[in-house]
Amino acid sequence: MSRLQVVSGKGGTGKTTVAAALALALATEGKRTLLVEVEGRQGIAQLFETEALPYEERKIAVAPGGGEVHALAIDAERALLDYLQMFYKLGSAGRALKKLGAIDFATTIAPGVRDVLLTGKACEAVRRRDKQGRYAYDHVVMDAPPTGRITRFLNVNDEVAGLAKIGPIHNQAQAVMRVLKSAETAVHLVTLLEEMPVQETADGIAELRAADLPTGKVIVNMVRPHILDEEAVRAAATAGRRKDIAKALTGAGLSGPAKLVGPLLEQAAEHAQRVELEREQRAALEALKLPTYELPLLSEGVDLAGLYQLATELRKLGVDAEADAGTDAQ
């Protein structure tokens, strides 16, 4: 069963929105999910229309059926302080290091260590159990860095190998990788039906597979409905059909219909061209041999109500059932 759901994607594809909707979808029927942010953008707080998230787990939403979505904005500096306290019992000495700027220096100068701290906090939540031995969260959803950095971000063991070959940091990296490379984890990539996002998705999946990280699903976001294809546009553009269109416009009460036929056909042609380009991108995604979900474009934008709508779409697609059943590890 994949309990850690990592969501990445090219910038502008809506990966944070999809991660939030996925957390809601997985929290149905009384389940608990933790939605984790690692980039410090407070995008989750904006989507759920709440105040900025602190460095603590906080309930931010109730899902259909009474489930709960909790959220955590992981801060690398605070995570390092927790780490120093856990392994070295520094206490007030750790806080003194922060004041001196040593904590910021450590997380900036050694990005591999920073990623260990960020991923380690999420993996700890995956493994955590309550006093009755039950998992604290049914699923943990991570709003991860963009596709171009996701493999390096998750492959923390390789990143710290040159920094620490033994000791607590090495052991922490090993523990993190045991979760990230197991069936407990699935890495989903969000894309659009456009050439650049699809190509970056293909490259990202190739990198994940090369690193033996488990790929999950491809989620196509902001899909627009198809109204006309090229054949319909060609038929409409013939002389006889142009007259029929003008008559239809007249019947609708529009004046000067002949002047409107040309612009309407131009828009129809643009639509048909987009449909064909999207067909090509779907074929490219099919070649990746991964399950693919499609989420509709919300014309009014994504507010809190829209987020719940996307969660409903994901449930219709069976994302909650498939997450419980597990995903394919490459």
Side-chain angles (χ1 to χ4, degrees):
M1 179 176 69
S2 300
R3 298 186 55 252
L4 175 58
Q5 309 276 326
V6 180
V7 180
S8 180
K10 186 180 186 301
T13 59
K15 71 176 180 64
T16 299
T17 299
V18 171
L22 178 60
L24 275 171
L26 293 172
T28 55
E29 305 305 325
K31 294 181 180 179
R32 286 164 52 91
T33 62
L34 176 65
L35 179 56
V36 175
E37 182 176 80
V38 297
E39 294 184 280
R41 297 185 294 107
Q42 290 293 338
I44 292 172
Q46 295 174 32
L47 281 170
F48 284 93
E49 300 175 6
T50 186
E51 60 187 18
L53 296 173
Y55 182 64
E56 63 183 36
E57 293 162 24
R58 171 179 293 180
K59 185 171 78 171
I60 59 170
V62 176
E68 296 180 351
V69 176
H70 295 244
L72 170 66
I74 303 178
D75 177 85
E77 293 185 20
R78 293 286 299 276
L80 181 53
L81 286 173
D82 287 350
Y83 177 86
L84 293 174
Q85 173 60 22
M86 182 184 304
F87 289 104
Y88 298 103
K89 310 299 181 185
L90 289 185
S92 59
R95 292 189 291 274
L97 287 173
K98 178 176 176 61
K99 291 181 179 179
L100 292 172
I103 300 298
D104 179 63
F105 175 79
T107 55
T108 301
I109 202 67
V113 172
R114 180 186 182 91
D115 291 348
V116 169
L117 296 168
L118 295 173
T119 55
K121 193 71 176 177
C123 290
E124 181 276 325
V126 171
R127 297 189 300 259
R128 190 190 313 155
R129 296 178 184 267
D130 60 20
K131 295 180 180 179
Q132 287 72 42
R134 297 170 302 192
Y135 284 118
Y137 296 102
D138 295 288
H139 295 282
V140 176
V141 179
M142 179 192 292
D143 177 22
T147 314
R149 203 170 81 81
I150 187 62
T151 299
R152 183 175 181 181
F153 174 77
L154 295 176
N155 208 22
V156 293
N157 192 46
D158 288 347
E159 285 297 301
V160 302
L163 297 171
K165 298 185 182 299
I166 59 173
I169 293 178
H170 174 81
N171 294 338
Q172 173 75 350
Q174 291 280 352
V176 168
M177 292 312 300
R178 281 195 292 272
V179 174
L180 294 180
K181 289 194 174 184
S182 74
E184 285 188 293
T185 300
V187 185
H188 310 298
L189 296 187
V190 181
T191 188
L192 304 178
L193 288 175
E194 299 173 5
E195 185 175 1
M196 288 186 63
V198 167
Q199 183 59 55
E200 189 162 319
T201 297
D203 293 342
I205 289 170
E207 291 176 1
L208 289 166
R209 286 171 169 166
D212 293 323
L213 288 163
T215 52
K217 308 291 188 294
V218 174
I219 303 176
V220 183
N221 196 23
M222 294 184 272
V223 176
R224 291 174 286 185
H226 291 176
I227 302 171
L228 298 172
D229 57 21
E230 286 192 18
E231 185 177 350
V233 173
R234 285 195 297 270
T238 62
R241 295 295 294 167
R242 290 175 70 93
K243 292 179 180 178
D244 291 339
I245 294 172
K247 286 181 180 180
L249 293 174
T250 301
L254 296 175
S255 60
K259 296 180 180 179
L260 298 176
V261 173
L264 283 174
L265 287 174
E266 287 179 9
Q267 291 184 20
E270 291 175 1
H271 174 82
Q273 185 179 25
R274 175 175 65 80
V275 169
E276 180 58 30
L277 291 173
E278 290 180 352
R279 187 180 295 117
E280 294 173 0
Q281 300 312 312
R282 279 192 175 92
L285 291 175
E286 287 177 7
L288 300 176
K289 306 298 184 183
L290 286 175
T292 301
Y293 294 150
E294 292 194 4
L295 292 176
L297 172 68
L298 301 184
S299 58
E300 301 298 322
V302 181
D303 55 9
L304 190 56
L307 203 58
Y308 276 86
Q309 181 179 340
L310 292 177
T312 299
E313 293 290 337
L314 286 170
R315 289 198 302 275
K316 288 179 181 177
L317 293 167
V319 65
D320 48 345
E322 289 193 19
D324 287 338
T327 59
D328 298 330
Q330 301 301 323

